[in-house]
Amino acid sequence: MTISRRQFVSGAAGAGLATLASPNLAFAQGTGPVRIGLLAAKTGPLASGGIDMELALTMFLKEHDFTLAGRKVDLIVADTAGVPATARTKAQELVEKNDVHCMIGPLAAFEALAIADYLTEKQVPTLGVSAAEDMTQRHPSPWYVRLSSTAAQCAYPLAEYSAKELKYKKIVTIADDFAYGHEMCAGFQRVFEDNGGKIIQKIFTPLATPDYGSYVAQVKNADAIFVAYAGSNGFRFLRQFVEYGLKDKMAVIGGMTALDESVLRNMGDEALGIVTTSFYSAEVDNPLNKVFAPAFRKQFKYDPGYYAASTYIAGEVLEAALKTIKANAEDRKALMAAIRGTNVDTIRGPIKFDEFGNIIGDVYIRKVTRSDGRLVNSVIKTYPDVSQFWTYDKNEFLKNPVYSRDYPPAKNLEL
């Protein structure tokens, strides 16, 4: 008899597309529950996102009575604290102690990169949330799919939109100084420059920056500033940007997580009018999201965003995959193949996976407005079926280095 379907782990790369075949993967279907491991940063600067990941996945499983494809499910949650070494330790515990059938998460790019080789070695089907580019590009794993977006994937449409429709000519970029921020800004820069724009300044700040005043003071005059922060850092930066009076002098546009719903709820009128991009908004108009978003808001008193949507979508994909293999999660090869072959409607819209395991789906340009007294990310334009390679030739794309602080080099920096 199942008493509780949730457990907690205590305490704070490249494999290439090798064959999935292994002599020890296929077993007779077990009679116990399917064990799902969730790696989520529930403490530290990324905690707001990690907490939402757990809330949404738990919500999905509760809606299904902790039963997927006719089989009971255990959710085992581990707090990575947003620290790569901790993420690896927790991943090892989930695999070697809890014997999970699959893994969801972790959140941060640097966490995902720290555990990628281990999960591939152990052949654990992994439904990733992190945006680390190369995990589905030059160094893909046959045991990994990405449910959210690469760091640059949603930045591409905003860069084109900024140049073609907002008519911006000069933009400053600012981001956390780690892989996620580097890659998002690089992708934005590439498309913005390809559309005739100029990136005149690139600023990167430490993830745990206590005060953004000195960085705000460095911002050069431009048409807009592209903010590519994660967690609560976007809110904290914008607050000081407004205090310095710069929002009256230049527009603010943002990446996937800069004004995510998880932090938007703490903001005021300073956020109104800011344009951002993401694969999801609580305002997305489709039947599944019209049920999910109001239910999440009713239960937790705020709208779901990037982080919550990612793990809810993980539940939707995992359920479809388990149905395909009649819930035989012990056959990891079959489970991973079913996950990769999923083509299903979700709360973000219809999705599928490319040959590298990265999601292809709609990307939304959003604008902060008020609705029923709360701030929301209203959808103002939809880019359908966006690939991680945008409109670039895949083979030529992969010949270049992974996006970074210095690649591609900015053509128009003002020193």
Side-chain angles (χ1 to χ4, degrees):
M1 181 176 66
T2 300
I3 298 174
S4 173
R5 299 264 63 88
R6 292 177 68 223
Q7 303 175 36
F8 295 87
V9 175
S10 61
L17 286 176
T19 177
L20 286 168
S22 172
N24 299 316
L25 290 182
F27 302 95
Q29 181 174 343
T31 56
V34 175
R35 293 177 296 280
I36 303 171
L38 173 63
L39 293 167
K42 296 168 56 180
T43 53
L46 302 177
S48 63
I51 290 168
D52 275 9
M53 288 170 61
E54 181 184 356
L55 292 177
L57 183 56
T58 302
M59 178 179 172
F60 177 85
L61 294 174
K62 282 182 177 178
E63 290 171 354
H64 292 75
D65 192 29
F66 282 89
T67 304
L68 298 181
R71 189 170 171 186
K72 287 296 184 180
V73 171
D74 270 346
L75 175 62
I76 308 163
V77 183
D79 179 12
T80 65
V83 177
T86 304
R88 190 171 179 95
T89 298
K90 297 304 179 183
Q92 291 172 328
E93 288 183 24
L94 288 171
V95 172
E96 297 171 22
K97 177 182 177 181
N98 301 102
D99 193 25
V100 295
H101 293 99
C102 66
M103 194 82 74
I104 296 174
L107 170 58
F110 50 71
E111 293 179 300
L113 292 169
I115 66 173
D117 58 342
Y118 173 77
L119 294 180
T120 297
E121 176 191 348
K122 295 298 182 179
Q123 300 177 332
V124 180
T126 302
L127 296 90
V129 171
S130 160
E133 300 267 321
D134 246 6
M135 294 185 69
T136 58
Q137 290 179 6
R138 295 155 198 81
H139 303 292
S141 166
W143 295 96
Y144 180 89
V145 297
R146 190 197 320 275
L147 298 158
S148 51
S149 160
T150 69
Q153 191 170 354
C154 291
Y156 293 142
L158 180 61
E160 180 181 278
Y161 185 83
S162 297
K164 289 186 174 180
E165 301 194 35
L166 297 178
K167 307 298 183 183
Y168 295 152
K169 302 297 183 184
K170 291 177 157 184
I171 286 180
V172 172
T173 65
I174 189 165
D176 293 308
D177 194 5
F178 70 113
Y180 176 66
H182 303 161
E183 293 170 1
M184 190 190 307
C185 287
F188 181 90
Q189 172 194 316
R190 183 178 183 182
V191 172
F192 188 63
E193 289 183 338
D194 285 350
N195 281 276
K198 297 181 178 180
I199 300 298
I200 64 168
Q201 185 182 24
K202 298 194 292 186
I203 303 173
F204 294 103
T205 60
L207 182 60
T209 298
D211 185 287
Y212 288 97
S214 62
Y215 298 101
V216 172
Q218 297 175 32
V219 174
K220 297 180 182 295
N221 186 44
D223 296 319
I225 183 168
F226 173 65
V227 179
Y229 282 118
S232 61
N233 289 352
F235 159 67
R236 295 172 52 245
F237 168 79
L238 184 60
R239 181 174 56 191
Q240 292 192 266
F241 192 81
V242 172
E243 289 173 354
Y244 276 67
L246 292 184
K247 190 170 180 283
D248 297 328
K249 299 178 181 179
M250 60 195 298
V252 177
I253 56 177
M256 293 186 290
T257 51
L259 290 185
D260 182 71
E261 283 83 350
S262 63
V263 294
L264 194 60
R265 69 182 189 267
N266 297 317
M267 302 183 73
D269 288 348
E270 72 274 9
L272 287 171
I274 294 178
V275 172
T276 63
T277 180
S278 183
F279 65 86
Y280 177 76
S281 165
E283 301 297 294
V284 167
D285 186 9
N286 70 46
L288 291 171
N289 193 52
K290 283 184 174 180
V291 175
F292 165 66
F296 188 96
R297 182 166 61 249
K298 180 178 180 180
Q299 185 169 350
F300 303 113
K301 311 307 178 187
Y302 60 92
D303 286 320
Y306 172 107
Y307 309 101
S310 294
T311 49
Y312 197 91
I313 293 165
E316 294 176 307
V317 170
L318 184 58
E319 180 187 31
L322 287 170
K323 285 180 177 177
T324 298
I325 61 170
K326 297 180 171 53
N328 186 11
E330 283 71 24
D331 187 344
R332 295 185 184 182
K333 176 184 175 182
L335 176 57
M336 195 66 239
I339 290 170
R340 281 179 168 265
T342 300
N343 189 332
V344 66
D345 286 335
T346 71
I347 57 171
R348 67 174 280 180
I351 61 99
K352 58 185 177 182
F353 296 99
D354 66 18
E355 64 190 284
F356 300 91
N358 192 71
I359 205 162
I360 298 173
D362 295 350
V363 170
Y364 305 99
I365 305 299
R366 302 109 43 97
K367 186 175 184 178
V368 178
T369 63
R370 282 201 180 274
S371 176
D372 297 327
R374 72 186 194 282
L375 295 174
V376 300
N377 284 312
S378 296
V379 175
I380 57 176
K381 186 178 178 69
T382 300
Y383 284 79
D385 297 326
V386 176
S387 159
Q388 65 175 329
F389 302 113
W390 185 231
T391 58
Y392 300 113
D393 177 84
K394 173 186 65 180
N395 294 324
E396 292 301 315
F397 186 105
L398 293 173
K399 290 178 183 178
N400 294 319
V402 67
Y403 290 141
S404 66
R405 282 182 61 130
D406 302 313
Y407 184 82
K411 302 174 182 176
N412 303 284
L413 290 182
E414 294 183 0
L415 302 177

